[in-house]
Amino acid sequence: MYEKKIPKDLSCGLNIAIEVIGGKWKANLLANINKGMKRPSELHKSIPQASARVLNQQLSELEFHGIITKKIYNVLPPKVEYSLTTGGDSLLEVLYAMKSWGEGYKETFHSLIES
């Protein structure tokens, strides 16, 4: 995994949370995996504006952090499925709280952008 030259301060819980879920598509990936979309092709179709490379990278990061698991079936053609771990399940509460806050702030946000 790519390492930045400036070391990250991971002594704060907020920084750790941002390290794990920070990424343009990670929240969408987690929500879609929770909805039952488990195959990479399903996840790619659910977020068409994201490149397959970026989605695969973010899936790998989520797997590295123990938020999702990747199961590879020994069949031809190869079959891969993702699922949430216990840590991923607990993270959903945070994501849904963020979604709720965003819905409440949406009107203010749009009025700031338009002015």
Side-chain angles (χ1 to χ4, degrees):
M1 198 174 314
Y2 173 76
E3 287 295 323
K4 294 186 178 184
K5 293 178 183 172
I6 300 172
K8 297 174 184 171
D9 175 17
L10 299 178
S11 62
C12 170
L14 182 59
N15 290 347
I16 292 171
I18 291 170
E19 175 68 21
V20 173
I21 63 171
K24 189 168 185 177
W25 306 111
K26 286 182 182 177
N28 295 71
L29 288 169
L30 292 172
N32 287 331
I33 291 170
N34 187 49
K35 289 178 189 173
M37 295 180 202
K38 303 198 182 304
R39 305 282 310 274
S41 60
E42 295 172 316
L43 295 169
H44 293 168
K45 286 177 188 174
S46 71
I47 311 171
Q49 60 273 40
S51 71
R53 179 183 174 273
V54 169
L55 291 181
N56 288 333
Q57 179 183 9
Q58 294 195 351
L59 285 165
S60 294
E61 290 173 10
L62 289 168
E63 184 183 10
F64 173 79
H65 290 295
I67 303 303
I68 62 173
T69 58
K70 177 180 182 178
K71 183 171 184 182
I72 302 171
Y73 294 90
N74 193 13
V75 294
L76 286 174
K79 179 181 174 182
V80 174
E81 288 186 349
Y82 292 97
S83 59
L84 294 175
T85 63
T86 306
D89 284 333
S90 68
L91 190 54
L92 289 175
E93 294 178 37
V94 175
L95 295 177
Y96 290 135
M98 289 172 59
K99 178 183 177 184
S100 176
W101 180 86
E103 291 294 330
Y105 189 71
K106 188 188 312 186
E107 191 174 311
T108 303
F109 180 80
H110 288 298
S111 67
L112 290 171
I113 291 176
E114 293 169 0
S115 56

